[in-house]
Amino acid sequence: MRDIIYAMNKLSNMSNVDLDDPRFRIRPYQQIIASCTGAFITSVIVTPLDVVKIRLQTQQKAMLSNKCYLYCNGLMDHLCPCANGNMPEWMRRNGKFNGTVDALIKISRTEGVISLWSGLSPTLVLAIPATVVYFVSYEQLRIYLKDTYNKEFRKKSTNMEQPFWIPILAGSTARIWAATLVSPVELIRTKMQSQKLTYAELTQALKTVVRYSGISGLWMGLGATLLRDVPFSAIYWLNYETIKKIFYISQQTFTFNLAAGAVAGSIAAVFTIPFDVVKTHRQIEMGEKEIYSDKPIRSSNTWSIIQRIYHQNGLKGLFAGLTPRLVKVAPACAIMIATFEHGKRFFQSYNAKKAIGFDIEHDVHLLQHKPSSTE
């Protein structure tokens, strides 16, 4: 009877189960389900903020590339932007955006609230495969590296450790795969959000890119994207896993995952915003140089764009769109990681209950039918 009670207590006390136990780890298809749910929710919530970020960065690029000199009072020249034919139509209607809130208000008033979700379709098409590849790859690589490290270097220890370099390497590698896979869709989304193109115009634009630049033109801006996303992933996962390690007792709650994801994402976003600006500049140049020009040419390289932005607008120019990016990244990382971790815990608990429950039921069955010693 004592054995039966112990077995039942073990089954009910699942909170003490090591969910990283190889027996209970979630399967790839369970990781896919957990990541897809978070990707959908996150995309719907943060798309308006992404539209604002792209518009602010597009506005800066238009002001940098379209300039004139106004002679004032005979004492000095004043540099100012000119509204010429290269300026997007939405910029003429809305005027200059003075910040995130101002952009949200002006876009809603002049283009309609629904325009804040411009590019949502390609965002969803982008988010689902990117998130699946990214999170599944990260989890698989992290677990593999962790198991290998503990097997090779900690043979005499019974405690599983995860050194700081594992999330850095796993996050960076997973991001390279995911970013390369969805780069063409990212290009489409950026164009839709920056110029509000119709699908017909977008199709023609993409045909022009392929005609003059080949299939590789669809990966325009991938270098800048990787320069942004790979360090972002390395910094993000390092901080997130470190926060989890420091606050080990609290890490099983949904609220903790929200807070940890927001903090880790914000830190990574600040360090990588200059590369996000460069990526946007390179991709919207497709409209200026490769679509509306008689002889399209490829856009400038990453370093030359950084130099141009810095010389023309200072350090501030490299951080254009920082506020909407932070406002977007913090909740996006929070929702995505919290949803993913919650899904992981659900499936891990399910797998643990299924595995332990089966063993316990079998043991209980044997104990119940075990001949008594008095017989």
Side-chain angles (χ1 to χ4, degrees):
M1 185 65 181
R2 184 182 303 164
D3 293 333
I4 296 177
I5 294 175
Y6 171 77
M8 297 305 294
N9 287 336
K10 184 178 180 182
L11 179 61
S12 61
N13 190 22
M14 294 298 299
S15 60
N16 294 327
V17 173
D18 180 12
L19 296 182
D20 245 356
D21 189 313
R23 296 176 298 165
F24 314 139
R25 287 173 182 167
I26 67 176
R27 312 294 184 263
Y29 80 89
Q30 293 174 331
Q31 292 175 341
I32 291 174
I33 295 174
S35 59
C36 283
T37 303
F40 178 81
I41 296 173
T42 304
S43 297
V44 173
I45 293 176
V46 304
T47 291
L49 299 172
D50 201 34
V51 169
V52 170
K53 183 204 71 172
I54 295 294
R55 294 290 185 91
L56 286 172
Q57 292 176 349
T58 305
Q59 172 180 274
Q60 176 194 262
K61 175 157 181 51
M63 295 177 70
L64 290 177
S65 59
N66 304 295
K67 297 181 179 294
C68 64
Y69 284 92
L70 294 183
Y71 187 77
C72 300
N73 68 24
L75 298 177
M76 60 186 297
D77 292 332
H78 294 277
L79 188 66
C80 70
C82 293
N84 58 26
N86 293 327
M87 185 171 290
E89 179 61 28
W90 58 263
M91 192 177 295
R92 295 193 187 93
R93 294 202 308 267
N94 295 321
K96 182 182 178 181
F97 295 142
N98 296 314
T100 304
V101 176
D102 184 56
L104 286 169
I105 294 174
K106 288 181 177 177
I107 292 173
S108 300
R109 185 173 61 240
T110 61
E111 302 176 35
V113 176
I114 197 67
S115 64
L116 291 173
W117 278 267
S118 298
L120 178 60
S121 297
T123 295
L124 292 175
V125 173
L126 178 147
I128 300 302
T131 302
V132 168
V133 172
Y134 182 45
F135 278 85
V136 173
S137 297
Y138 173 77
E139 279 296 303
Q140 295 296 322
L141 285 170
R142 182 187 68 83
I143 292 172
Y144 172 77
L145 293 172
K146 181 179 178 180
D147 289 346
T148 302
Y149 171 81
N150 285 277
K151 181 180 179 181
E152 297 295 331
F153 300 101
R154 294 177 54 81
K155 296 180 179 179
K156 296 181 180 180
S157 176
T158 57
N159 296 324
M160 296 282 284
E161 286 193 1
Q162 179 174 282
F164 74 94
W165 57 267
I166 287 181
I168 294 176
L169 180 59
S172 300
T173 305
R175 176 54 68 186
I176 290 173
W177 293 346
T180 303
L181 176 66
V182 301
S183 184
V185 185
E186 171 77 10
L187 179 65
I188 293 173
R189 184 183 65 134
T190 301
K191 289 303 299 176
M192 291 185 69
Q193 292 178 340
S194 65
Q195 293 191 5
K196 208 173 187 299
L197 299 176
T198 66
Y199 282 100
E201 292 172 331
L202 186 62
T203 301
Q204 184 58 43
L206 295 175
K207 288 180 179 178
T208 304
V209 172
V210 173
R211 183 183 310 121
Y212 288 98
S213 302
I215 296 296
S216 63
L218 296 177
W219 276 264
M220 183 186 305
L222 176 61
T225 299
L226 292 177
L227 282 174
R228 177 198 67 178
D229 288 356
V230 172
F232 180 95
S233 294
I235 296 170
Y236 172 77
W237 286 113
L238 173 62
N239 282 288
Y240 180 72
E241 296 290 350
T242 301
I243 293 172
K244 285 176 62 178
K245 188 175 182 179
I246 294 174
F247 301 96
Y248 180 77
I249 298 178
S250 305
Q251 68 171 288
Q252 297 298 318
T253 67
F254 188 84
T255 303
F256 171 83
N257 293 135
L258 281 173
V263 171
S266 297
I267 295 173
V270 171
F271 279 98
T272 58
I273 183 63
F275 298 113
D276 184 57
V277 174
V278 171
K279 178 192 74 70
T280 301
H281 277 228
R282 289 199 67 188
Q283 290 184 329
I284 62 179
E285 276 185 3
M286 181 181 72
E288 298 173 354
K289 294 183 177 180
E290 300 201 11
I291 300 173
Y292 303 112
S293 174
D294 293 334
K295 295 181 180 180
I297 58 175
R298 294 190 67 83
S299 60
S300 306
N301 60 52
T302 300
W303 180 240
S304 65
I305 293 176
I306 291 177
Q307 289 181 310
R308 185 172 70 242
I309 294 173
Y310 180 77
H311 289 151
Q312 294 179 325
N313 215 29
L315 189 62
K316 180 180 178 181
L318 292 173
F319 287 83
L322 176 60
T323 300
R325 178 161 167 77
L326 284 176
V327 174
K328 170 200 170 184
V329 166
C333 289
I335 295 170
M336 187 64 243
I337 196 63
T339 306
F340 182 66
E341 292 281 14
H342 184 74
K344 278 176 55 181
R345 284 195 294 272
F346 171 81
F347 284 115
Q348 286 168 329
S349 298
Y350 171 81
N351 294 342
K353 288 179 180 178
K354 186 176 180 180
I356 296 176
F358 177 80
D359 294 339
I360 291 177
E361 287 179 3
H362 180 69
D363 294 341
V364 169
H365 178 76
L366 292 178
L367 290 170
Q368 288 176 334
H369 293 80
K370 182 179 180 180
S372 174
S373 59
T374 60
E375 292 181 0

